Amino acid sequence: MSAIAKLARQPWIFAFVAAVAVWLATAAFTHGQGAGGVLSVAFTFATFFVIVAIGQMFVVTLGPGNVDLSIPATMTLAGTVSMKIMDGANWMILPGYLIAVAVGLVVGLFNVALIRLLRIPPIIATLSSSFVIQSAAIWYNRGLRVKPPTLLADFTTAKIFGLPVLAIIVILIAAVMHVVLTRTVYGRTVIAIGQNARAARLAGLDVGRVRLATYVMCAVFAASCGYVLAGFSGGAALNMGQEYLLSSIAVVVIGGTSVAGGFANVPGLWGAALFLFLLVTMLNTFGLGAGVRLVLTGLIIITVIVIAGGSRANAR
Amino acid sequence: MTGPAFARLLRGALPALSLALLLGAIFYLQPRTMSYFGLNLLLNLAVPIALATVAQMLILTVNDLDLSIGSYVSLTACIAATWLRDTPLLGLLALGGGVLAYGALGALIHLRNLPSIVVTLGMSFVWLGLAILVLPTPGGKAPDIVRALMTWKPPYVPFPIIACVVIAALAHVALMRSPYGAVLRGAGGNPRAVARAGWSLLRVKVTMYMAAGFVGALAGIALVGLTTSADANIALRYTLLSIAGAILGGSEFVGGRVSPIGAVIGAITLTLAASFLSFLRLNPDFQIGAQGAILILVLALRALIGRAEKDR
Amino acid sequence: MSLQEVDSGPAPALAPAAVSLAGVEKRFGAVTALAGVSLAVPKGACVGLVGHNGAGKSTLMNVLAGTLAPDTGSVAITGRDVTAGYAIATARENGVRCIFQEGSLCPNLTVAENARIEHPSLTGFSWRTDAGRLIRQKLDEIFPGHGIRPGAMVADLSIARRQMVEIARAFTVTASPVDVVILDEPTSSLDQTIAEQLLAHIRRFVEAGGSAIFISHLLGEVLEISDRVVVMRDGKVVAERPARDFDRDGLVAAMGSVAAAASAAPAASRRTAAPRVDIDAGRGSTVRLTAHTGEIVGLAGLAGHGQTDALLTVFDGGGAGDRVEGAVAFIAGDRQTDGAFPLWSIAENLGISSLGALRRGRLISTAAEDALAARWRERIGIRTPDVWNPLLSLSGGNQQKVLFARALASDADIILMDDPMRGVDVGTKQEVYKILREEADKGRTFLWYTTEMDELLICDHVYVFRDRMIVADLARADLTEEAVIQASFRHDA
């Protein structure tokens, strides 16, 4: 009994409960037809959301005003650059990935440099850099759509027992990041900064370096997502990152991470990503269009923040 | 003149200086733009962007940020191109509902002490969804009056210039010169002091959000007047543009330091940056990048001025 | 004690007092800020209010201004009881104006616009001109030759000029009258000439029938300007007499508490080897702040006179020519802003400064974290059944113990304390004092900013701060309460 009560108190549980509920509703509507397939597809698409959301979650956890708006541009740039350099050659898969990571590193450092040197809020820094990055991607790509190496494309769509290989890898990555968040000095410092940056400094924590590492890490995750997404969808497109800007924040918030910072959880990201995708599927199955889906998504985000924000206020 | 006041003057002049510089460069590269027709073409799209930027600036005044303004402008554009044309009463009611919804958001954010970024992020989905419901496929038609106004060719001075001046002047009078405007800005600078002087911060926030909703709706209507038809994604990039424009124009993120005239200038600068590149015969793909680069440049200059100010 | 007596004959009470409080009590949690204060400010009089840290002056002022509601007691204005529903608006309507110490101007507005914020009746087309004229007239009247333009942005003004604007704004008459003005440390950022202009204006205001309450740490000023002086201590009025019956020494004596029992014989001076900390504490101090191994060094003086900044200088390793040797830890006094991680458990809060030592391999060991927290729960007496309970489940005093334990559990050689015992109960204090001494004897150095006299008596050496400078350097043998108060309050003004 107490185990159930404890489970119910976990902040990530609601996202999973909602995801399961939506899935069951869909399955009920179709009388169970294709329910397994829907789940498999959901895992595939949720994977991409989770990759970027992990980075965004660490950034958001740094406290109010911290959010990375350059994620879509970074994805696009990393995707285009790596696809073009690999030029479809299978032996280039690993070097191509390293190039994507390098793009992420550069973008992250650029963001931090803007925040530090110009002393501007992260939101404006990442916004301005996103313009420049997006432009670089457009210039580099020149409208060409280079096909990914066949092995990469196969890899991103491969499945084991109906579960996408990519999803399994990202579940493992999420597990590792969960440990990083809760059990390393770095993770603890991120959470401490988000709760009270001044207290974190006065407790002797290295606030500056951890902030830097977090923005760089977020950009690297975004770049990695751009790489695999380009591989998955048959090449990089200039608008491939578009929907990930708002979605990455939405997944973080619905997953139970506090937007005020200082409280994060990784499992919730999976729940939220699955929920968002299954919600789309359900509404499509019901024959409702994109409009209703978007309105519902927005209302859910606001409801979550009103409930979560309220509980945080009471805790003080 | 004292040091800090001079630095402030310099910072205040920065938006106008960068606009003048850009305009000069465009005239130099393409002398033909220095005509009634050329200016009309150059600045046409600046009008809705300027309105959206003013809306964003109103939210910035009370230390918030609106990530939904782009989709809100899209929605109002869709409403303008459909209901407002076909059944004007319904159209007006819908637009009024949008303004009221903005006021309710302001109240919610203030009463529950919520981060505006996430609430408006959620709203951006809602507005976009509604826009798709109103206009599922691109189309519609601008109401004739709006179309006529936006394509009006007054003698001597092109319409976009007149419109921008009027927008800047009205916003300036309302926010910088009216008695209640001082309270609104004061609430951004030192909310505690304003509350201690007996003003309601809730009223301030609701006022500002409703004003932003109203100006945002005007932006949507103006946009449809230019493009003649609408679609649900028509103004999504206005979210980022409006933030960039307001910041370019000298508004700051916190502390209630805003400038309506600067916001309009910032919006025009961003619009012109695109044309500038095409006149340079550079790849038009650099458009967005140039906007970003200008933003970074201006922020860097501002940081430099700020540092010089501090070193005194 | 002769000093305890309150002058029995209150002011010539023919007319009702302009404003009066009767039996006002105010509690914040376990702390009693006001313990039954009665105070009457007659019409046409200036009442000076003095007291050491935590005497209750600010709370009293906030009650008068309507920003804090008293728990019990009543507020009356010209004899009318206005206690029920007394708030900022009522205070303003009845002509009570306040000049708060922390500043109530909006930096992003002009001087004239700030006047408008305070005076809602300034409307209409010419409001900017009207507001500008009003504030300029008042500035001209109070501070001739002030050199402030009504159109100037407040952010561009010096601190002194902002203070002048704030004063002029409070004295400006629009729709509501100005009968009682409360000034909290109004001269702290003004230079001598301007301060005298202000004092002269207050005199004129009072002679014209107004009333003023004047709070200041400059005793000379208080004695010069006031008709009556009220001395507060521990949330009570302990002396109230006509100003002419007081002198500086009398005020200082009245502010002090009963002399603490002489503490243990001074330990042998540890000031033989080179100091562990040696910094320049604030602009133009002639005395350097030094601390040696095994010493507890006290930083005294009125709150906000540069002690915390001195601690932060040490925390950041000092500037050029300074010396800070060894690892440093900081114990916050303002728990909410400087110390607590509100979403975390006791154990997480406690271990955050020792993360390096809690690692087993690359990961933080929960078992080690638990053991550390359990050890300190025992040692410092944190009252909780489970160290994994939220920090906020503890009482304030126990939360403070967690912050102590955080610093003491770390490997710091130098421990900085930013008045961490404020509002902590006596029992807890005694336990902590004992541990401090033990830790100092083990070779740790403590720099302790405290506003409480008994805590200074535990220190080996005390520096008194005033106006962001060290003004007295007291070795253990010279340390008396009177010496500290004498140094904290300026007499040359």
Side-chain angles (χ1 to χ4, degrees):
Chain A
M1 187 61 219
S2 80
I4 293 173
K6 202 175 165 188
L7 197 66
R9 274 206 307 274
Q10 297 297 320
W12 44 265
I13 199 77
F14 295 104
F16 279 101
V17 169
V20 169
V22 170
W23 180 60
L24 289 178
T26 317
F29 193 81
T30 61
H31 304 292
Q33 271 186 342
V38 165
L39 206 57
S40 177
V41 176
F43 265 101
T44 306
F45 282 94
T47 305
F48 301 115
F49 284 119
V50 171
I51 301 175
V52 286
I54 291 174
Q56 186 73 281
M57 182 194 75
F58 274 86
V59 169
V60 167
T61 305
L62 283 175
N66 283 289
V67 63
D68 188 349
L69 297 184
S70 67
I71 284 180
T74 311
M75 286 172 65
T76 310
L77 184 64
T80 48
V81 171
S82 57
M83 287 308 128
K84 194 165 170 187
I85 288 181
M86 289 189 292
D87 199 19
N90 282 329
W91 67 272
M92 280 293 286
I93 287 180
L94 193 63
Y97 179 63
L98 291 179
I99 284 162
V101 169
V103 167
L105 282 175
V106 171
V107 168
L109 289 173
F110 184 60
N111 282 339
V112 177
L114 286 181
I115 296 171
R116 287 257 179 99
L117 296 179
L118 303 188
R119 288 183 212 158
I120 49 179
I123 242 191
I124 276 295
T126 53
L127 168 70
S128 346
S129 72
S130 77
F131 285 165
V132 177
I133 301 160
Q134 181 73 22
S135 198
I138 297 173
W139 165 76
Y140 192 82
N141 175 293
R142 300 214 176 254
L144 293 173
R145 193 173 175 105
V146 183
K147 281 222 176 304
T150 47
L151 272 182
L152 179 63
D154 293 347
F155 166 75
T156 51
T157 47
K159 289 183 182 176
I160 298 179
F161 307 120
L163 202 60
V165 174
L166 208 54
I168 297 171
I169 293 176
V170 174
I171 288 173
L172 291 177
I173 292 177
V176 170
M177 292 317 289
H178 175 72
V179 173
V180 167
L181 178 72
T182 52
R183 298 282 302 280
T184 64
V185 176
Y186 164 77
R188 285 291 177 89
T189 307
V190 169
I191 301 174
I193 294 172
Q195 290 180 60
N196 190 338
R198 191 174 152 83
R201 184 175 90 85
L202 290 173
L205 302 174
D206 193 342
V207 175
R209 256 183 43 202
V210 165
R211 273 206 182 118
L212 181 142
T214 305
Y215 275 93
V216 170
M217 186 182 82
C218 179
V220 169
F221 269 110
S224 306
C225 184
Y227 174 82
V228 287
L229 186 60
F232 177 80
S233 46
L238 286 177
N239 60 353
M240 63 188 269
Q242 214 172 36
E243 66 172 313
Y244 286 81
L245 173 61
L246 299 184
S247 301
S248 69
I249 306 176
V251 166
V252 169
V253 174
I254 297 175
T257 294
S258 163
V259 253
F263 180 82
N265 81 89
V266 179
L269 298 179
W270 266 107
L274 286 172
F275 166 67
L276 275 188
F277 184 82
L278 288 168
L279 182 72
V280 178
T281 316
M282 179 183 81
L283 296 174
N284 284 342
T285 321
F286 289 177
L288 294 170
V292 179
R293 184 190 93 214
L294 286 163
V295 171
L296 278 177
T297 311
L299 292 179
I300 287 165
I301 293 175
I302 294 175
T303 311
V304 167
I305 180 68
V306 168
I307 294 170
S311 67
R312 172 84 188 257
N314 292 339
R316 286 243 161 145
Chain B
M1 186 173 290
T2 55
F6 179 69
R8 178 175 315 287
L9 192 79
L10 198 61
R11 204 180 329 171
L14 211 54
L17 282 179
S18 32
L19 175 62
L21 206 69
L22 195 59
L23 210 55
I26 288 177
F27 287 160
Y28 176 76
L29 287 169
Q30 195 60 266
R32 267 182 303 171
T33 55
M34 221 181 337
S35 64
Y36 184 97
F37 193 71
L39 281 171
N40 208 357
L41 217 57
L42 267 183
L43 295 171
N44 236 338
L45 276 173
V47 177
I49 296 180
L51 285 164
T53 306
V54 168
Q56 184 69 262
M57 183 210 67
L58 292 171
I59 304 285
L60 281 175
T61 309
V62 284
N63 300 337
D64 281 348
L65 194 65
D66 185 359
L67 289 185
S68 72
I69 191 75
S71 43
Y72 177 73
V73 172
S74 295
L75 169 63
T76 53
C78 290
I79 292 175
T82 52
W83 298 346
L84 194 62
R85 181 187 173 83
D86 306 332
T87 47
L89 188 65
L90 179 66
L92 286 176
L93 277 176
L95 292 174
V99 175
L100 286 180
Y102 253 84
L105 282 182
L108 183 73
I109 286 170
H110 177 76
L111 293 175
R112 301 280 299 179
N113 197 17
L114 300 175
S116 60
I117 295 178
V118 183
V119 176
T120 55
L121 166 77
M123 282 315 290
S124 73
F125 287 95
V126 174
W127 299 135
L128 184 59
L130 290 175
I132 292 174
L133 290 176
V134 172
L135 191 65
T137 50
K141 197 157 187 296
D144 297 329
I145 313 173
V146 177
R147 179 72 190 150
L149 178 68
M150 293 308 291
T151 51
W152 183 38
K153 300 259 183 325
Y156 309 118
V157 188
F159 173 72
I161 296 182
I162 297 178
C164 285
V165 169
V166 168
I167 294 165
L170 286 180
H172 184 78
V173 167
L175 195 59
M176 312 301 280
R177 286 283 185 266
S178 78
Y180 194 54
V183 177
L184 295 172
R185 282 178 294 130
N190 189 346
R192 204 163 150 224
V194 170
R196 207 145 58 181
W199 300 96
S200 156
L201 290 179
L202 174 66
R203 206 185 124 188
V204 166
K205 219 148 216 186
V206 171
T207 308
M208 279 316 228
Y209 271 80
M210 286 182 70
F214 176 73
V215 181
L218 291 184
I221 297 171
L223 182 59
V224 164
L226 288 174
T227 57
T228 67
S229 71
D231 86 81
N233 297 314
I234 191 167
L236 291 190
R237 62 194 191 97
Y238 277 23
T239 299
L240 301 188
L241 272 183
S242 67
I243 300 174
I247 299 293
L248 258 185
S251 298
E252 278 172 34
F253 248 97
V254 284
R257 289 189 189 179
V258 294
S259 158
I261 297 176
V264 172
I265 293 179
I268 299 175
T269 310
L270 286 178
T271 319
L272 286 182
S275 322
F276 174 64
L277 287 173
S278 62
F279 292 135
L280 267 183
R281 303 228 172 77
L282 269 180
N283 196 323
D285 304 342
F286 281 118
Q287 222 191 79
I288 315 170
Q291 290 169 340
I294 290 177
L295 187 55
I296 292 174
L297 204 70
V298 171
L299 288 171
L301 278 175
R302 213 191 282 178
L304 270 177
I305 295 172
R307 210 161 298 177
E309 206 173 326
K310 230 178 203 168
D311 286 347
R312 276 165 197 284
Chain C
M1 293 289 300
S2 63
L3 294 173
Q4 295 276 52
E5 86 196 17
V6 173
D7 187 13
S8 47
L14 299 171
V19 59
S20 61
L21 298 175
V24 167
E25 287 181 28
K26 181 75 195 171
R27 245 177 231 99
F28 298 104
V31 182
T32 305
L34 294 177
V37 171
S38 298
L39 177 77
V41 183
K43 274 188 182 144
C46 174
V47 172
L49 186 56
V50 297
H52 206 246
N53 293 311
K57 293 168 296 182
S58 298
T59 314
L60 185 73
M61 171 166 168
N62 276 299
V63 168
L64 277 172
T67 46
L68 276 179
D71 297 335
T72 55
S74 62
V75 185
I77 292 177
T78 57
R80 270 184 313 118
D81 191 312
V82 292
T83 316
Y86 190 66
I88 309 172
T90 354
R92 292 181 53 82
E93 278 161 30
N94 288 291
V96 178
R97 303 282 179 86
C98 266
I99 298 162
F100 291 95
Q101 206 179 341
E102 73 269 21
S104 306
L105 298 178
C106 299
N108 60 328
L109 302 185
T110 66
V111 171
E113 286 169 340
N114 267 290
R116 147 79 186 156
I117 299 277
E118 192 77 14
H119 298 282
S121 59
L122 287 169
T123 50
F125 261 119
S126 57
W127 70 274
R128 287 159 62 89
T129 334
D130 296 347
R133 200 187 55 240
L134 275 173
I135 194 86
R136 191 207 297 268
Q137 277 169 2
K138 204 39 98 171
L139 278 167
D140 287 345
E141 183 187 336
I142 307 176
F143 307 108
H146 51 82
I148 301 169
R149 287 182 308 114
M153 191 76 79
V154 166
D156 293 341
L157 300 180
S158 66
I159 296 174
R161 286 185 166 174
R162 285 185 211 187
Q163 184 72 17
M164 288 154 72
V165 170
E166 198 146 352
I167 292 166
R169 187 174 73 162
F171 276 106
T172 304
V173 184
T174 49
S176 55
V178 182
D179 298 327
V180 181
V181 177
I182 308 166
L183 304 101
D184 191 0
E185 296 281 1
T187 56
S188 57
S189 48
L190 303 180
D191 70 32
Q192 191 87 25
T193 331
I194 296 172
E196 271 159 20
Q197 289 176 342
L198 171 63
L199 296 189
H201 180 78
I202 296 175
R203 269 328 312 173
R204 285 199 299 275
F205 174 70
V206 165
E207 272 148 26
S211 310
I213 299 178
F214 187 84
I215 304 172
S216 176
H217 70 282
L218 306 176
L219 298 182
E221 265 181 20
V222 175
L223 290 172
E224 179 191 333
I225 183 102
S226 311
D227 300 294
R228 301 178 67 74
V229 176
V230 173
V231 181
M232 288 188 72
R233 187 173 72 218
D234 301 333
K236 287 189 282 262
V237 172
V238 292
E240 180 183 357
R241 269 178 261 164
R244 59 177 180 281
D245 295 357
F246 271 116
D247 59 6
R248 234 190 85 77
D249 292 335
L251 279 182
V252 168
M255 275 186 277
S257 52
V258 188
S263 43
S269 174
R270 294 180 179 83
R271 307 211 141 197
T272 45
R276 206 181 231 169
V277 176
D278 180 7
I279 63 155
D280 179 7
R283 50 151 205 232
S285 293
T286 45
V287 185
R288 291 179 71 82
L289 190 147
T290 57
H292 294 68
T293 304
E295 251 188 347
I296 302 179
V297 173
L299 312 187
L302 289 167
H305 277 241
Q307 299 94 332
T308 303
D309 288 339
L311 292 181
L312 290 176
T313 307
V314 176
F315 186 81
D316 292 330
D322 291 346
R323 165 195 179 103
V324 177
E325 274 180 7
V328 184
F330 186 95
I331 304 175
D334 187 343
R335 238 186 355 262
Q336 260 85 40
T337 60
D338 295 351
F341 297 108
L343 304 179
W344 266 350
S345 67
I346 298 162
E348 285 166 311
N349 263 287
L350 202 155
I352 187 69
S353 292
S354 317
L355 291 180
L358 293 172
R359 276 191 312 191
R360 301 289 177 269
R362 297 198 62 80
L363 299 183
I364 297 167
S365 153
T366 315
E369 215 175 356
D370 187 71
L372 182 81
R375 196 160 69 239
W376 280 95
R377 172 172 68 170
E378 205 61 38
R379 169 119 196 252
I380 207 164
I382 300 165
R383 284 173 192 77
T384 177
D386 185 350
V387 292
W388 295 96
N389 282 349
L391 178 75
L392 298 186
S393 68
L394 296 177
S395 69
N398 276 291
Q399 289 182 33
Q400 205 62 46
K401 283 188 195 172
V402 174
L403 298 192
F404 267 99
R406 179 196 290 170
L408 294 174
S410 76
D411 56 4
D413 307 303
I414 303 164
I415 295 182
L416 311 172
M417 301 195 282
D418 185 24
D419 201 9
M421 306 297 256
R422 252 179 286 168
V424 172
D425 63 281
V426 184
T428 306
K429 281 181 179 175
Q430 294 306 330
E431 293 167 35
V432 173
Y433 295 162
K434 210 177 104 232
I435 294 172
L436 287 186
R437 198 73 261 178
E438 285 168 19
E439 292 290 322
D441 289 342
K442 283 187 202 159
R444 279 184 152 162
T445 303
F446 290 86
L447 283 174
W448 188 358
Y449 161 41
T450 170
T451 48
E452 297 192 25
M453 203 51 69
D454 355 344
E455 298 187 343
L456 289 175
L457 296 175
I458 299 167
C459 299
D460 299 309
H461 200 97
V462 170
Y463 294 97
V464 184
F465 281 70
R466 193 182 64 218
D467 296 330
R468 321 191 71 76
M469 281 189 283
I470 294 179
V471 291
D473 174 4
L474 304 171
R476 176 68 165 261
D478 314 326
L479 187 63
T480 61
E481 179 172 17
E482 184 155 357
V484 172
I485 294 182
Q486 281 281 3
S488 306
F489 288 86
R490 209 165 88 193
H491 36 88
D492 48 317

